[in-house]
PDB file of all heavy atoms in Angstrom:
ATOM      1  N   ASP A 866       0.034 -74.297-181.025  1.00  0.00           N
ATOM      2  CA  ASP A 866       1.320 -73.948-180.511  1.00  0.00           C
ATOM      3  C   ASP A 866       1.375 -73.612-178.973  1.00  0.00           C
ATOM      4  O   ASP A 866       2.436 -73.345-178.514  1.00  0.00           O
ATOM      5  CB  ASP A 866       1.820 -72.679-181.337  1.00  0.00           C
ATOM      6  CG  ASP A 866       0.953 -71.472-181.301  1.00  0.00           C
ATOM      7  OD1 ASP A 866       0.015 -71.479-180.536  1.00  0.00           O
ATOM      8  OD2 ASP A 866       1.214 -70.500-182.048  1.00  0.00           O
ATOM      9  N   TRP A 867       0.290 -73.605-178.285  1.00  0.00           N
ATOM     10  CA  TRP A 867       0.260 -73.393-176.876  1.00  0.00           C
ATOM     11  C   TRP A 867       0.351 -74.705-176.117  1.00  0.00           C
ATOM     12  O   TRP A 867       0.251 -74.700-174.834  1.00  0.00           O
ATOM     13  CB  TRP A 867      -0.891 -72.524-176.489  1.00  0.00           C
ATOM     14  CG  TRP A 867      -2.259 -73.020-176.720  1.00  0.00           C
ATOM     15  CD1 TRP A 867      -3.046 -73.869-175.984  1.00  0.00           C
ATOM     16  CD2 TRP A 867      -2.945 -72.726-177.915  1.00  0.00           C
ATOM     17  NE1 TRP A 867      -4.266 -74.176-176.710  1.00  0.00           N
ATOM     18  CE2 TRP A 867      -4.202 -73.482-177.844  1.00  0.00           C
ATOM     19  CE3 TRP A 867      -2.744 -71.965-179.052  1.00  0.00           C
ATOM     20  CZ2 TRP A 867      -5.187 -73.421-178.848  1.00  0.00           C
ATOM     21  CZ3 TRP A 867      -3.753 -71.881-179.995  1.00  0.00           C
ATOM     22  CH2 TRP A 867      -4.927 -72.670-179.935  1.00  0.00           C
ATOM     23  N   GLY A 868       0.399 -75.872-176.776  1.00  0.00           N
ATOM     24  CA  GLY A 868       0.595 -77.065-176.097  1.00  0.00           C
ATOM     25  C   GLY A 868      -0.535 -77.981-175.930  1.00  0.00           C
ATOM     26  O   GLY A 868      -0.488 -79.021-175.369  1.00  0.00           O
ATOM     27  N   ASP A 869      -1.747 -77.637-176.416  1.00  0.00           N
ATOM     28  CA  ASP A 869      -2.980 -78.444-176.408  1.00  0.00           C
ATOM     29  C   ASP A 869      -3.316 -78.902-177.737  1.00  0.00           C
ATOM     30  O   ASP A 869      -2.931 -78.248-178.781  1.00  0.00           O
ATOM     31  CB  ASP A 869      -4.146 -77.649-175.817  1.00  0.00           C
ATOM     32  CG  ASP A 869      -4.082 -77.373-174.363  1.00  0.00           C
ATOM     33  OD1 ASP A 869      -3.198 -77.773-173.695  1.00  0.00           O
ATOM     34  OD2 ASP A 869      -4.969 -76.631-173.887  1.00  0.00           O
ATOM     35  N   THR A 870      -4.028 -80.053-177.881  1.00  0.00           N
ATOM     36  CA  THR A 870      -4.576 -80.476-179.074  1.00  0.00           C
ATOM     37  C   THR A 870      -6.063 -80.092-178.977  1.00  0.00           C
ATOM     38  O   THR A 870      -6.702 -80.496-178.048  1.00  0.00           O
ATOM     39  CB  THR A 870      -4.361 -82.099-179.258  1.00  0.00           C
ATOM     40  OG1 THR A 870      -2.956 -82.269-179.276  1.00  0.00           O
ATOM     41  CG2 THR A 870      -5.021 -82.531-180.462  1.00  0.00           C
ATOM     42  N   VAL A 871      -6.505 -79.384-179.951  1.00  0.00           N
ATOM     43  CA  VAL A 871      -7.885 -78.758-179.838  1.00  0.00           C
ATOM     44  C   VAL A 871      -8.622 -78.874-181.166  1.00  0.00           C
ATOM     45  O   VAL A 871      -8.040 -78.750-182.186  1.00  0.00           O
ATOM     46  CB  VAL A 871      -7.734 -77.253-179.485  1.00  0.00           C
ATOM     47  CG1 VAL A 871      -9.108 -76.712-179.126  1.00  0.00           C
ATOM     48  CG2 VAL A 871      -6.693 -77.132-178.361  1.00  0.00           C
ATOM     49  N   ALA A 872      -9.953 -79.067-181.023  1.00  0.00           N
ATOM     50  CA  ALA A 872     -10.905 -79.022-182.042  1.00  0.00           C
ATOM     51  C   ALA A 872     -11.947 -77.864-181.806  1.00  0.00           C
ATOM     52  O   ALA A 872     -12.236 -77.730-180.613  1.00  0.00           O
ATOM     53  CB  ALA A 872     -11.641 -80.380-182.311  1.00  0.00           C
ATOM     54  N   TYR A 873     -12.403 -77.185-182.837  1.00  0.00           N
ATOM     55  CA  TYR A 873     -13.252 -76.061-182.667  1.00  0.00           C
ATOM     56  C   TYR A 873     -14.500 -76.355-183.376  1.00  0.00           C
ATOM     57  O   TYR A 873     -14.488 -76.641-184.513  1.00  0.00           O
ATOM     58  CB  TYR A 873     -12.627 -74.701-183.090  1.00  0.00           C
ATOM     59  CG  TYR A 873     -11.571 -74.213-182.222  1.00  0.00           C
ATOM     60  CD1 TYR A 873     -10.286 -74.696-182.316  1.00  0.00           C
ATOM     61  CD2 TYR A 873     -11.806 -73.234-181.220  1.00  0.00           C
ATOM     62  CE1 TYR A 873      -9.238 -74.185-181.482  1.00  0.00           C
ATOM     63  CE2 TYR A 873     -10.927 -72.842-180.416  1.00  0.00           C
ATOM     64  CZ  TYR A 873      -9.611 -73.279-180.556  1.00  0.00           C
ATOM     65  OH  TYR A 873      -8.589 -72.795-179.650  1.00  0.00           O
ATOM     66  N   LEU A 874     -15.672 -76.137-182.731  1.00  0.00           N
ATOM     67  CA  LEU A 874     -17.014 -76.160-183.345  1.00  0.00           C
ATOM     68  C   LEU A 874     -17.730 -74.851-183.105  1.00  0.00           C
ATOM     69  O   LEU A 874     -17.407 -74.026-182.241  1.00  0.00           O
ATOM     70  CB  LEU A 874     -17.835 -77.182-182.649  1.00  0.00           C
ATOM     71  CG  LEU A 874     -17.416 -78.638-182.835  1.00  0.00           C
ATOM     72  CD1 LEU A 874     -18.252 -79.621-182.016  1.00  0.00           C
ATOM     73  CD2 LEU A 874     -17.415 -79.156-184.255  1.00  0.00           C
ATOM     74  N   ALA A 875     -18.845 -74.604-183.854  1.00  0.00           N
ATOM     75  CA  ALA A 875     -19.782 -73.487-183.553  1.00  0.00           C
ATOM     76  C   ALA A 875     -21.088 -74.190-183.291  1.00  0.00           C
ATOM     77  O   ALA A 875     -21.556 -75.049-184.031  1.00  0.00           O
ATOM     78  CB  ALA A 875     -19.825 -72.550-184.756  1.00  0.00           C
ATOM     79  N   ASP A 876     -21.640 -73.794-182.122  1.00  0.00           N
ATOM     80  CA  ASP A 876     -22.901 -74.455-181.720  1.00  0.00           C
ATOM     81  C   ASP A 876     -23.964 -73.869-182.615  1.00  0.00           C
ATOM     82  O   ASP A 876     -23.855 -73.048-183.516  1.00  0.00           O
ATOM     83  CB  ASP A 876     -23.201 -74.334-180.164  1.00  0.00           C
ATOM     84  CG  ASP A 876     -23.554 -72.989-179.735  1.00  0.00           C
ATOM     85  OD1 ASP A 876     -23.784 -72.050-180.531  1.00  0.00           O
ATOM     86  OD2 ASP A 876     -23.643 -72.749-178.490  1.00  0.00           O
ATOM     87  N   LEU A 877     -25.256 -74.255-182.364  1.00  0.00           N
ATOM     88  CA  LEU A 877     -26.387 -73.811-183.222  1.00  0.00           C
ATOM     89  C   LEU A 877     -26.672 -72.366-183.036  1.00  0.00           C
ATOM     90  O   LEU A 877     -27.327 -71.765-183.930  1.00  0.00           O
ATOM     91  CB  LEU A 877     -27.626 -74.613-182.893  1.00  0.00           C
ATOM     92  CG  LEU A 877     -27.503 -76.134-182.987  1.00  0.00           C
ATOM     93  CD1 LEU A 877     -28.723 -76.919-182.558  1.00  0.00           C
ATOM     94  CD2 LEU A 877     -27.112 -76.459-184.432  1.00  0.00           C
ATOM     95  N   ASP A 878     -26.127 -71.697-182.024  1.00  0.00           N
ATOM     96  CA  ASP A 878     -26.282 -70.178-181.924  1.00  0.00           C
ATOM     97  C   ASP A 878     -25.076 -69.472-182.407  1.00  0.00           C
ATOM     98  O   ASP A 878     -24.970 -68.203-182.339  1.00  0.00           O
ATOM     99  CB  ASP A 878     -26.597 -69.842-180.438  1.00  0.00           C
ATOM    100  CG  ASP A 878     -27.814 -70.336-179.983  1.00  0.00           C
ATOM    101  OD1 ASP A 878     -28.853 -70.208-180.647  1.00  0.00           O
ATOM    102  OD2 ASP A 878     -28.010 -70.741-178.773  1.00  0.00           O
TER     103      ASP A 878
END
Side-chain angles (χ1 to χ4, degrees):
D866 62 4
W867 57 89
D869 289 353
T870 298
V871 190
Y873 288 84
L874 297 174
D876 72 9
L877 300 177
D878 292 320

